[in-house]
């Protein structure tokens, strides 16, 4: 969702990083482009004004003029301000209440409330081993209750029995009683929505809130809504006092403005984001990680977490043993392909890797077809167990039979076998000689570096540059590719972004008296 905004900001920062000094005029030009990029991304105008003003205050001060790399320092400032706008710290859903903890899902029709309700229930059941009860209060939309019942069966969670003729308040009362009698840990209430905010909707939802007394009120908002999402959020928050926001369809082609505006406009944290249609496509919202993605710094932490979810310790140990022996058959290759698909495919993984934005763009321009993974998995599935274990058995007649079974051309079988052979050779070299042997595969340039890697933290810039040249890497290209991530490594950067604004009168979340009274999210928490 943030790709277009990230691309625009990346081009702006590329022009700043190469300069040895920045004048006020340079900063003004950059801020003008940043303002345009944010507005094009559907960020609310009032949030854009507040954001640019705060960046300007720091960018034209001593913080930049005394910096060794002023261009990169501006990137650091923009990163800090993005984190401040998005919420500074992740806020999880609170379950600190008497069971059953009631969670009320509210929002407009079509925002994804029912699907998100089921995703949330699955998340509680699988990750925290909670006993969850779902109840649909939507008596207006045809088959809404039946939809939640089907989704509940799909994720293995109990749903409240459907009784014809009951109104939402009666259903909420019965759900609370069933939750207590059934010994449930969590009760999630899925309310009805409208195509737009109206008084009937608000009155009904407020009445449900009074009866259910929810511990959490989650406002579900479609990330594709654009600037109108802020008006929706303010309308619901003013009447219901929401405790958090859930953004859905974050995997879509929206411009990202809703995420940047919602927290600043309402002061309420974005707690979860929906990243796909599958029932496990629900993630915690980490402001710093989202800011990293927007500025092209990657998101290694989320990548590791995603790998931990989809790769079991047992599978990792098996692969480690095979790696040590230097063996890698076609079953292993299929396992690697399946894991890559589960983790989001090639594009999903590359989006989280720092410093490879240009490579990702090159793949997009080359129209790389990720369905090739599906075809390769189908090809391996068409082989016998013996053929997968001993690829050398695959003669011409066997390859023709496999191609027919997988519905592909023989040429694709040949490509897969060649790919496997290259990976197997690499595994053998690693198994025999460790990382030093792997470096030998790159013409010997990286062999010395990988065989006896020095402590980079104790080397000065000239030594690092010499090492890069020895490996055949242009240090200037390295700086351009990874420069965005360097500001994170500064020793003297404060960990508390809010502390930077103690002297500035103004935003409730950033300390001092309100400078932007219409934006409660840009203020220090009480």
């Amino acid at each position: 969702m943030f790709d277009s905004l990230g691309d625009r900001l990346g081009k702006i920062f590329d022009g700043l990083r190469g300069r040895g000094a920045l004048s006020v005029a340079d900063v003004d030009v950059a801020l003008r482009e940043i303002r345009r990029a944010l507005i094009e991304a559907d960020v609310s105008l009032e949030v854009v004004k507040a954001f640019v003003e705060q960046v300007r205050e720091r960018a034209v001060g001593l913080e930049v003029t005394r910096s060794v790399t002023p261009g990169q320092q501006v990137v650091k400032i923009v990163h800090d301000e993005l984190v401040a706008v998005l919420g500074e710290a992740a806020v999880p859903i609170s379950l600190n209440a008497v069971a059953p903890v009631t969670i009320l899902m509210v929002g407009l029709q079509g925002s994804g409330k029912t699907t998100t309700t089921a995703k949330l229930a699955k998340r509680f059941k699988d990750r925290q081993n909670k006993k969850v009860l779902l109840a649909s209060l939507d008596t207006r939309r045809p088959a809404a209750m039946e939809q939640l019942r089907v989704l509940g069966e799909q994720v293995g969670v109990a749903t409240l029995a459907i009784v014809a003729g009951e109104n939402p308040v009666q259903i909420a009362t019965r759900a609370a009683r069933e939750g207590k009698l059934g010994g449930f840990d969590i009760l999630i209430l899925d309310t009805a929505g409208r195509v737009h905010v109206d008084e009937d909707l608000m009155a009904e939802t407020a009445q449900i809130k009074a009866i259910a007394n929810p511990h959490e009120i989650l406002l579900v908002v479609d990330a594709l809504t654009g600037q109108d999402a802020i008006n929706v959020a303010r309308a619901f928050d003013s009447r219901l006092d929401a405790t958090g926001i859930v953004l859905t369809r974050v995997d879509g082609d929206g411009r990202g403005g809703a995420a940047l505006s919602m927290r600043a406009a309402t002061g309420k944290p974005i707690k979860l984001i929906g990243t796909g249609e599958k029932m496990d496509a629900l993630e915690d919202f980490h402001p710093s990680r989202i800011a990293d993605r927007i500025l092209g710094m990657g998101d290694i932490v989320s990548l590791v977490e995603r790998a931990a979810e989809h790769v079991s310790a047992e599978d990792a140990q098996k692969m480690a043993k095979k790696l040590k022996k230097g063996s890698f058959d076609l079953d292993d290759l299929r396992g690697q392909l399946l894991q890559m698909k589960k983790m989001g495919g090639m594009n999903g993984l590359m989006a989280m890797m720092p410093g490879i934005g240009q490579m990702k763009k090159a793949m997009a321009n080359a129209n790389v077809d990720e369905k090739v993974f599906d075809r390769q998995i189908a090809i391996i599935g068409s082989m016998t167990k013996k053929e997968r274990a001993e690829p050398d058995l695959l003669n011409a007649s066997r390859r023709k039979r496999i191609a027919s079974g997988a519905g592909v051309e023989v040429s694709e079988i040949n490509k897969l076998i060649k790919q496997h052979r290259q990976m197997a050779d690499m595994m053998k070299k690693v198994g025999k000689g460790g990382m030093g042997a792997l470096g030998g595969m790159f013409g010997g340039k990286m062999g010395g570096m990988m065989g006896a890697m020095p402590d980079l933290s104790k080397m000065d810039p000239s030594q690092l540059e010499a090492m890069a040249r020895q490996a055949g890497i242009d240090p200037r290209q390295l700086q351009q590719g990874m420069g965005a991530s360097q500001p994170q490594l500064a020793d003297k950067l404060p960990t508390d972004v809010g502390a930077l604004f103690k002297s500035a009168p103004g935003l409730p979340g950033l300390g001092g008296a309100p400078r932007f009274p219409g934006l409660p999210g840009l203020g220090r928490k009480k």
Side-chain angles (χ1 to χ4, degrees), residues 235-304:
F236 275 94
D237 186 47
S238 63
R239 291 291 295 270
L240 302 173
D241 190 22
T243 59
I245 298 169
V246 180
L247 274 181
T248 60
R249 300 190 196 179
V250 174
D251 58 321
D253 56 359
R255 299 174 182 176
L260 293 176
S261 304
M262 295 278 261
R263 188 261 174 187
T266 64
K268 301 303 169 68
I270 299 173
K271 295 194 173 187
L272 297 166
I273 52 176
T275 56
E277 295 181 2
K278 294 183 179 179
M279 286 295 107
D280 58 352
L282 190 67
E283 297 180 4
D284 293 320
F285 183 82
H286 294 273
S288 60
R289 299 184 194 178
I290 296 297
D292 287 347
R293 292 189 202 181
I294 292 174
L295 298 182
M297 298 177 188
D299 188 357
I300 293 297
V301 178
S302 293
L303 181 60
V304 172

Coordinates of all heavy atoms in Angstrom, one line a residue, residues 235-304:
A235 N -16.3 10.4 13.4 CA -17.7 10.3 13.7 C -17.9 9.2 14.7 O -18.6 9.3 15.7 CB -18.5 10.0 12.5
F236 N -17.3 8.0 14.5 CA -17.5 6.9 15.4 C -16.8 7.2 16.7 O -17.4 6.8 17.8 CB -16.9 5.6 14.8 CG -17.8 4.9 13.9 CD1 -17.8 5.1 12.5 CD2 -18.7 4.0 14.4 CE1 -18.6 4.4 11.7 CE2 -19.6 3.3 13.6 CZ -19.5 3.5 12.2
D237 N -15.6 7.8 16.7 CA -14.9 8.0 18.0 C -15.6 9.0 18.9 O -15.6 8.8 20.1 CB -13.5 8.5 17.6 CG -12.6 8.6 18.9 OD1 -12.6 7.7 19.7 OD2 -12.0 9.7 19.1
S238 N -16.2 10.0 18.3 CA -16.9 11.0 19.1 C -18.1 10.4 19.8 O -18.5 10.9 20.9 CB -17.4 12.2 18.2 OG -18.3 11.7 17.2
R239 N -18.8 9.4 19.2 CA -20.0 8.8 19.8 C -19.7 7.6 20.7 O -20.4 7.3 21.7 CB -21.0 8.4 18.7 CG -21.6 9.6 18.0 CD -22.5 10.4 19.0 NE -23.7 9.6 19.4 CZ -24.8 9.6 18.7 NH1 -25.0 10.3 17.6 NH2 -25.8 8.8 19.1
L240 N -18.6 6.8 20.3 CA -18.4 5.5 21.0 C -17.1 5.5 21.8 O -16.9 4.6 22.5 CB -18.4 4.4 19.9 CG -19.6 4.3 19.1 CD1 -19.4 3.3 18.0 CD2 -20.8 3.9 19.9
D241 N -16.2 6.5 21.5 CA -14.9 6.5 22.2 C -14.2 5.2 21.9 O -13.9 4.4 22.8 CB -15.1 6.7 23.7 CG -13.7 7.0 24.4 OD1 -12.8 7.4 23.7 OD2 -13.6 6.7 25.6
A242 N -13.8 5.0 20.7 CA -13.1 3.7 20.3 C -11.8 3.6 21.0 O -11.1 4.6 21.3 CB -12.9 3.8 18.7
T243 N -11.4 2.4 21.2 CA -10.1 2.2 21.9 C -9.0 1.9 20.9 O -7.8 1.9 21.2 CB -10.2 1.0 22.8 OG1 -10.6 -0.2 22.1 CG2 -11.2 1.3 23.9
G244 N -9.3 1.6 19.6 CA -8.3 1.3 18.6 C -8.9 1.2 17.2 O -10.1 1.2 17.1
I245 N -8.0 1.1 16.3 CA -8.4 1.1 14.8 C -7.8 -0.1 14.2 O -6.7 -0.5 14.5 CB -7.9 2.4 14.1 CG1 -8.6 3.6 14.7 CG2 -8.2 2.3 12.6 CD1 -8.0 4.9 14.2
V246 N -8.6 -0.8 13.3 CA -8.1 -1.9 12.5 C -8.2 -1.4 11.0 O -9.3 -1.1 10.6 CB -8.9 -3.2 12.7 CG1 -8.3 -4.3 11.9 CG2 -8.9 -3.6 14.2
L247 N -7.1 -1.4 10.3 CA -7.0 -1.1 8.9 C -7.1 -2.3 8.1 O -6.3 -3.2 8.3 CB -5.8 -0.3 8.6 CG -5.8 1.2 8.8 CD1 -4.4 1.8 8.4 CD2 -6.9 1.9 8.0
T248 N -8.1 -2.4 7.2 CA -8.2 -3.6 6.3 C -7.7 -3.3 4.9 O -7.6 -2.1 4.6 CB -9.6 -4.1 6.3 OG1 -10.5 -3.1 5.7 CG2 -10.1 -4.5 7.6
R249 N -7.4 -4.3 4.1 CA -7.0 -4.2 2.7 C -5.7 -3.4 2.6 O -5.5 -2.6 1.6 CB -8.1 -3.5 1.9 CG -9.4 -4.3 1.8 CD -10.3 -3.8 0.8 NE -11.7 -4.3 1.0 CZ -12.7 -4.0 0.3 NH1 -12.5 -3.1 -0.7 NH2 -13.9 -4.4 0.5
V250 N -4.8 -3.5 3.5 CA -3.5 -2.9 3.5 C -2.7 -3.4 2.3 O -1.7 -2.8 1.9 CB -2.8 -3.0 4.8 CG1 -1.4 -2.4 4.8 CG2 -3.6 -2.2 5.9
D251 N -3.0 -4.7 1.9 CA -2.3 -5.3 0.8 C -2.8 -4.7 -0.6 O -2.2 -5.1 -1.6 CB -2.5 -6.8 0.8 CG -4.0 -7.2 0.7 OD1 -4.8 -6.5 1.4 OD2 -4.3 -8.2 0.1
G252 N -3.8 -3.9 -0.6 CA -4.3 -3.3 -1.8 C -3.4 -2.2 -2.4 O -2.3 -2.0 -1.9
D253 N -4.0 -1.6 -3.4 CA -3.2 -0.5 -4.1 C -3.6 0.9 -3.6 O -3.4 1.9 -4.3 CB -3.4 -0.6 -5.6 CG -4.9 -0.5 -6.0 OD1 -5.7 -0.4 -5.1 OD2 -5.2 -0.5 -7.2
G254 N -4.1 1.0 -2.3 CA -4.3 2.3 -1.7 C -3.1 3.0 -1.6 O -2.0 2.5 -1.6
R255 N -3.2 4.3 -1.3 CA -2.0 5.2 -1.3 C -1.4 5.4 0.1 O -0.4 6.0 0.3 CB -2.4 6.6 -1.9 CG -2.8 6.5 -3.3 CD -3.3 7.8 -3.8 NE -3.8 7.8 -5.1 CZ -4.4 8.8 -5.8 NH1 -4.5 9.9 -5.1 NH2 -4.8 8.6 -7.0
G256 N -2.0 4.8 1.1 CA -1.4 4.8 2.4 C -1.8 6.0 3.3 O -1.4 6.1 4.4
G257 N -2.6 7.0 2.7 CA -2.9 8.2 3.4 C -3.7 8.0 4.7 O -3.6 8.7 5.7
A258 N -4.6 7.0 4.6 CA -5.5 6.7 5.7 C -4.7 6.4 7.0 O -5.0 6.9 8.1 CB -6.5 5.6 5.4
A259 N -3.7 5.5 6.8 CA -2.9 5.1 7.9 C -2.1 6.3 8.6 O -2.0 6.3 9.8 CB -1.9 4.0 7.5
L260 N -1.6 7.2 7.7 CA -0.9 8.3 8.2 C -1.8 9.4 8.8 O -1.3 10.2 9.6 CB -0.1 9.0 7.0 CG 1.0 8.1 6.4 CD1 1.7 8.8 5.3 CD2 2.1 7.8 7.5
S261 N -3.1 9.3 8.5 CA -4.0 10.4 9.0 C -4.8 10.0 10.2 O -5.1 10.8 11.1 CB -4.9 10.8 7.9 OG -4.2 11.3 6.7
M262 N -5.1 8.7 10.3 CA -6.1 8.2 11.3 C -5.7 8.5 12.7 O -6.4 9.0 13.5 CB -6.3 6.7 11.1 CG -7.0 6.4 9.8 SD -8.7 6.6 9.8 CE -9.2 5.0 10.1
R263 N -4.5 8.1 13.0 CA -4.0 8.2 14.4 C -3.9 9.7 14.8 O -4.2 10.1 15.9 CB -2.7 7.4 14.6 CG -2.3 7.4 16.1 CD -1.2 8.4 16.4 NE -0.9 8.4 17.8 CZ -0.1 9.4 18.3 NH1 0.4 10.3 17.5 NH2 0.1 9.4 19.6
A264 N -3.3 10.5 13.8 CA -3.2 11.9 14.1 C -4.5 12.6 14.3 O -4.6 13.5 15.1 CB -2.4 12.5 13.0
A265 N -5.5 12.2 13.5 CA -6.8 12.9 13.5 C -7.6 12.5 14.8 O -8.4 13.3 15.3 CB -7.6 12.6 12.3
T266 N -7.5 11.2 15.2 CA -8.3 10.8 16.3 C -7.6 10.6 17.6 O -8.2 10.6 18.7 CB -8.9 9.4 16.0 OG1 -7.9 8.4 15.8 CG2 -9.7 9.5 14.7
G267 N -6.3 10.4 17.6 CA -5.5 10.2 18.8 C -5.6 8.7 19.2 O -5.0 8.3 20.2
K268 N -6.3 7.9 18.5 CA -6.5 6.5 18.8 C -5.5 5.6 18.0 O -5.3 5.8 16.9 CB -7.9 6.0 18.6 CG -9.0 6.8 19.3 CD -8.7 6.7 20.9 CE -9.5 7.7 21.6 NZ -10.9 7.4 21.6
P269 N -4.9 4.6 18.7 CA -3.8 3.8 18.0 C -4.4 2.9 17.0 O -5.5 2.4 17.1 CB -3.2 3.1 19.2 CG -4.3 2.9 20.1 CD -5.1 4.2 20.1
I270 N -3.6 2.7 15.9 CA -3.9 1.6 14.9 C -3.4 0.4 15.5 O -2.1 0.2 15.7 CB -3.3 1.9 13.6 CG1 -3.9 3.2 13.0 CG2 -3.6 0.8 12.6 CD1 -3.2 3.7 11.7
K271 N -4.2 -0.6 15.8 CA -3.7 -1.8 16.6 C -3.4 -3.0 15.6 O -2.5 -3.8 15.9 CB -4.8 -2.2 17.6 CG -5.0 -1.2 18.7 CD -5.7 -1.8 19.9 CE -5.7 -0.8 21.1 NZ -6.3 -1.4 22.3
L272 N -4.2 -3.1 14.6 CA -4.0 -4.3 13.7 C -4.2 -3.8 12.2 O -4.9 -2.8 11.9 CB -5.1 -5.4 14.0 CG -5.0 -6.0 15.4 CD1 -6.3 -6.8 15.6 CD2 -3.8 -6.9 15.5
I273 N -3.6 -4.6 11.3 CA -3.8 -4.3 9.9 C -4.1 -5.6 9.2 O -3.5 -6.7 9.5 CB -2.5 -3.6 9.2 CG1 -1.3 -4.4 9.5 CG2 -2.4 -2.2 9.7 CD1 0.0 -3.9 8.8
G274 N -5.0 -5.6 8.3 CA -5.4 -6.8 7.5 C -4.5 -6.8 6.2 O -4.6 -5.8 5.4
T275 N -3.8 -7.8 6.0 CA -2.8 -7.9 4.9 C -3.2 -8.9 3.8 O -2.3 -9.2 3.0 CB -1.4 -8.2 5.5 OG1 -1.5 -9.5 6.2 CG2 -0.9 -7.1 6.4
G276 N -4.4 -9.4 3.8 CA -4.8 -10.3 2.8 C -6.1 -10.9 3.1 O -6.8 -10.6 4.1
E277 N -6.6 -11.8 2.3 CA -7.9 -12.4 2.4 C -7.9 -13.7 3.3 O -9.0 -14.1 3.8 CB -8.5 -12.8 1.0 CG -8.8 -11.5 0.2 CD -9.4 -11.9 -1.2 OE1 -9.6 -13.1 -1.4 OE2 -9.6 -11.0 -2.0
K278 N -6.8 -14.3 3.5 CA -6.7 -15.5 4.3 C -6.9 -15.2 5.7 O -6.7 -14.1 6.2 CB -5.3 -16.2 4.1 CG -5.1 -16.7 2.7 CD -3.8 -17.4 2.5 CE -3.6 -18.0 1.1 NZ -2.3 -18.7 1.0
M279 N -7.4 -16.2 6.5 CA -7.8 -16.0 7.9 C -6.6 -15.7 8.8 O -6.8 -15.2 9.9 CB -8.5 -17.3 8.4 CG -9.9 -17.4 7.9 SD -11.0 -16.1 8.4 CE -11.2 -15.2 6.9
D280 N -5.4 -16.0 8.3 CA -4.2 -15.6 9.2 C -3.5 -14.3 8.7 O -2.5 -14.0 9.2 CB -3.2 -16.8 9.1 CG -2.7 -17.1 7.7 OD1 -3.3 -16.5 6.8 OD2 -1.8 -17.9 7.6
A281 N -4.2 -13.6 7.8 CA -3.6 -12.4 7.3 C -4.0 -11.2 8.1 O -4.7 -10.3 7.7 CB -4.0 -12.2 5.8
L282 N -3.6 -11.2 9.4 CA -3.8 -10.1 10.3 C -2.6 -9.9 11.1 O -2.1 -10.8 11.8 CB -5.0 -10.5 11.2 CG -5.6 -9.3 12.1 CD1 -6.3 -8.3 11.2 CD2 -6.6 -9.9 13.1
E283 N -2.0 -8.7 11.1 CA -0.8 -8.4 11.7 C -0.9 -7.3 12.7 O -1.8 -6.4 12.6 CB 0.3 -8.0 10.7 CG 0.6 -9.1 9.7 CD 1.7 -8.7 8.7 OE1 2.2 -7.5 8.9 OE2 2.0 -9.4 7.8
D284 N 0.0 -7.3 13.7 CA 0.1 -6.1 14.6 C 0.6 -4.9 13.9 O 1.4 -5.1 12.9 CB 1.1 -6.4 15.8 CG 0.5 -7.5 16.7 OD1 -0.7 -7.5 17.0 OD2 1.3 -8.4 17.2
F285 N 0.2 -3.8 14.3 CA 0.7 -2.5 13.6 C 1.8 -1.9 14.4 O 1.7 -1.5 15.6 CB -0.5 -1.5 13.5 CG -0.1 -0.2 12.8 CD1 -0.1 -0.2 11.5 CD2 0.3 0.9 13.5 CE1 0.2 1.0 10.8 CE2 0.6 2.1 12.9 CZ 0.6 2.1 11.5
H286 N 3.0 -1.9 13.8 CA 4.2 -1.4 14.5 C 4.6 -0.1 13.7 O 5.1 -0.2 12.6 CB 5.4 -2.4 14.4 CG 5.1 -3.6 15.2 ND1 5.5 -3.7 16.6 CD2 4.6 -4.8 14.9 CE1 5.1 -4.9 17.0 NE2 4.6 -5.6 16.0
P287 N 4.4 1.1 14.3 CA 4.6 2.3 13.6 C 6.1 2.5 13.1 O 6.3 2.9 11.9 CB 4.4 3.4 14.7 CG 3.4 2.7 15.6 CD 3.8 1.3 15.7
S288 N 7.1 2.1 13.9 CA 8.4 2.2 13.4 C 8.7 1.3 12.2 O 9.4 1.7 11.3 CB 9.4 1.9 14.6 OG 9.2 0.6 15.0
R289 N 8.1 0.1 12.2 CA 8.4 -0.8 11.1 C 7.7 -0.2 9.8 O 8.2 -0.4 8.7 CB 7.8 -2.2 11.4 CG 8.5 -2.8 12.6 CD 8.0 -4.2 12.8 NE 8.4 -4.7 14.1 CZ 8.0 -5.9 14.6 NH1 7.3 -6.7 13.8 NH2 8.4 -6.4 15.8
I290 N 6.5 0.3 10.0 CA 5.8 0.9 8.8 C 6.6 2.1 8.3 O 6.7 2.2 7.0 CB 4.4 1.3 9.2 CG1 3.5 0.1 9.6 CG2 3.7 2.1 8.0 CD1 3.3 -0.9 8.5
A291 N 7.1 2.9 9.1 CA 7.9 4.0 8.7 C 9.2 3.5 8.0 O 9.6 4.1 7.0 CB 8.3 4.9 9.9
D292 N 9.8 2.4 8.5 CA 10.9 1.9 7.8 C 10.6 1.4 6.4 O 11.3 1.7 5.4 CB 11.5 0.6 8.6 CG 12.2 1.0 9.8 OD1 12.5 2.2 10.0 OD2 12.4 0.2 10.7
R293 N 9.4 0.8 6.2 CA 9.0 0.3 4.9 C 8.8 1.5 3.9 O 9.1 1.5 2.8 CB 7.7 -0.5 5.0 CG 7.8 -1.8 5.7 CD 6.6 -2.6 5.6 NE 6.5 -3.7 6.6 CZ 5.5 -4.5 6.7 NH1 4.5 -4.5 5.8 NH2 5.4 -5.4 7.7
I294 N 8.1 2.6 4.5 CA 7.8 3.7 3.6 C 9.1 4.4 3.1 O 9.2 4.8 2.0 CB 7.0 4.8 4.4 CG1 5.6 4.2 4.7 CG2 6.9 6.1 3.6 CD1 4.8 5.1 5.6
L295 N 10.1 4.4 4.0 CA 11.4 5.0 3.6 C 12.4 4.1 3.0 O 13.6 4.4 2.8 CB 12.0 5.7 4.8 CG 11.2 6.9 5.4 CD1 11.9 7.5 6.6 CD2 10.8 7.9 4.3
G296 N 12.0 2.8 2.7 CA 12.8 1.9 2.0 C 13.9 1.3 2.8 O 14.9 0.8 2.4
M297 N 13.7 1.3 4.2 CA 14.7 0.7 5.1 C 14.4 -0.8 5.4 O 15.2 -1.4 6.1 CB 14.7 1.5 6.4 CG 15.0 2.9 6.3 SD 14.9 3.8 7.9 CE 15.2 5.5 7.4
G298 N 13.3 -1.3 4.8 CA 13.0 -2.7 5.1 C 12.4 -2.9 6.4 O 12.1 -2.0 7.2
D299 N 12.1 -4.2 6.7 CA 11.5 -4.6 7.9 C 12.0 -6.0 8.3 O 11.2 -6.9 8.2 CB 10.0 -4.5 7.8 CG 9.2 -4.7 9.1 OD1 9.9 -4.9 10.1 OD2 8.0 -4.6 9.1
I300 N 13.2 -6.0 8.8 CA 13.8 -7.3 9.1 C 13.1 -8.0 10.2 O 13.0 -9.2 10.3 CB 15.3 -7.1 9.4 CG1 16.1 -6.7 8.1 CG2 15.9 -8.4 9.9 CD1 16.0 -7.7 7.0
V301 N 12.7 -7.2 11.2 CA 12.1 -7.8 12.4 C 10.8 -8.6 12.0 O 10.6 -9.7 12.4 CB 11.7 -6.7 13.5 CG1 11.0 -7.4 14.7 CG2 13.0 -6.1 13.9
S302 N 9.9 -7.9 11.2 CA 8.7 -8.6 10.7 C 9.0 -9.8 9.9 O 8.3 -10.8 9.9 CB 7.8 -7.6 10.0 OG 7.4 -6.6 10.8
L303 N 10.1 -9.7 9.1 CA 10.5 -10.8 8.3 C 10.9 -12.0 9.1 O 10.5 -13.2 8.8 CB 11.7 -10.4 7.4 CG 12.2 -11.5 6.4 CD1 11.1 -11.9 5.4 CD2 13.4 -10.9 5.6
V304 N 11.7 -11.8 10.2 CA 12.1 -12.9 11.1 C 10.8 -13.5 11.8 O 10.7 -14.7 11.9 CB 13.1 -12.4 12.1 CG1 13.4 -13.4 13.2 CG2 14.4 -12.0 11.4

